[in-house]
Amino acid sequence: MRAATTEEIKQTARRILVEQGPEAVSLRAIAREMGMTAPALYRYFTSREDLIRNVVGDIFNELSGDIGLAIGRASQSGEDITAKLIAACREFRRWSFSHQGEFGLIFGSPLPGVDDGRGDFADECGRRFAGVFFALFYELWRRSPFPVRAPEEIDPGLRAQLERFRTVIGADLPLGAILAFLRCWTKLYGAVSMEVFGHIGFALDDAAPMFELTLAELAEDVGLVYVPGS
């Protein structure tokens, strides 16, 4: 019963978040919808921030699962690494458009007092999401390494940060490959977020063809060939 109540609290918070925005998510509002008292919610979550962090973690897990399913379908059909990478990127875009409120929460402006890098459940789930894309990139690198910048070709300040990041994730990849991975993520996230937040509407009514071009560029960046729309 406790697990069911905990899940209902999180789902209620998520619904309020999507329908009314993060500022509307309060323990009092959630308790009112559930027919509980606000103090009773403290038996399940220590604070509003704790609740939201758990909701964030669940959203990351959902997104990771959907992308994993898309990759699995591409694998089962006998497709190559290119198809799996394209499937992952397309699913990320599809999910983002289908869950714009959730996308804004986990990829938009950090919530004051909530996103502070505390290394909790939400951070763990966020790392798991990143790991889905990194695992594909690692598989690609092991199968077919592509040309990357040598360490001495990377700005010293950037190189130090890449070295630190490589240590954190424990990856046995050249710094140039780590840089390539981050650049690919920047391009993918930038393309999707501009669409989701409506920042490309000044020029495009339908950005899908532009996204396909982005996928082709991403493929080229990692030594693959993708024909837009294929």
Side-chain angles (χ1 to χ4, degrees):
M1 183 175 292
R2 179 178 178 82
T5 302
T6 299
E7 184 62 27
E8 184 180 357
I9 292 171
K10 291 191 293 184
Q11 289 300 321
T12 301
R14 179 169 174 171
R15 185 174 66 253
I16 294 175
L17 165 73
V18 172
E19 294 175 353
Q20 303 176 42
E23 65 283 349
V25 180
S26 67
L27 296 184
R28 185 178 301 278
I30 295 168
R32 183 168 56 248
E33 288 210 11
M34 295 183 61
M36 300 173 62
T37 63
L41 294 183
Y42 285 101
R43 295 202 296 268
Y44 301 90
F45 298 96
T46 59
S47 65
R48 171 183 178 272
E49 290 71 24
D50 178 35
L51 169 57
I52 292 180
R53 295 290 291 177
N54 273 269
V55 172
V56 166
D58 285 350
I59 294 172
F60 268 125
N61 284 342
E62 176 186 307
L63 174 56
S64 299
D66 286 356
I67 294 176
L69 289 174
I71 295 171
R73 288 191 293 269
S75 299
Q76 292 171 4
S77 63
E79 299 288 354
D80 60 12
I81 186 64
T82 303
K84 291 195 288 186
L85 284 165
I86 296 301
C89 293
R90 283 179 172 168
E91 179 59 24
F92 177 56
R93 178 176 180 268
R94 185 208 65 78
W95 185 93
S96 300
F97 272 96
S98 300
H99 303 82
Q100 295 187 26
E102 291 91 337
F103 181 90
L105 176 64
I106 64 177
F107 292 115
S109 300
L111 298 178
V114 175
D115 189 8
D116 56 8
R118 66 190 72 182
D120 60 2
F121 173 70
D123 287 328
E124 176 186 340
C125 297
R127 287 192 294 270
R128 188 178 300 123
F129 160 74
V132 173
F133 280 102
F134 189 79
L136 279 177
F137 183 88
Y138 189 82
E139 177 185 349
L140 166 64
W141 180 262
R142 288 306 176 196
R143 287 188 181 187
S144 181
F146 50 90
V148 297
R149 295 187 184 188
E152 61 271 15
E153 297 175 324
I154 302 174
D155 175 272
L158 177 58
R159 186 169 64 237
Q161 296 177 77
L162 293 174
E163 290 173 344
R164 183 173 65 248
F165 178 62
R166 182 173 62 179
T167 299
V168 169
I169 64 177
D172 57 339
L173 293 174
L175 286 184
I178 298 292
L179 175 59
F181 172 72
L182 292 177
R183 284 176 59 81
C184 286
W185 168 247
T186 300
K187 289 183 179 181
L188 175 61
Y189 169 73
V192 171
S193 64
M194 285 191 71
E195 280 195 80
V196 171
F197 294 134
H199 296 320
I200 198 67
F202 70 93
L204 303 175
D205 295 326
D206 177 14
M210 179 76 82
F211 184 73
E212 288 295 304
L213 289 175
T214 299
L215 294 183
E217 292 174 0
L218 288 171
E220 184 179 359
D221 288 344
V222 294
L224 300 174
V225 176
Y226 170 68
V227 178
S230 63

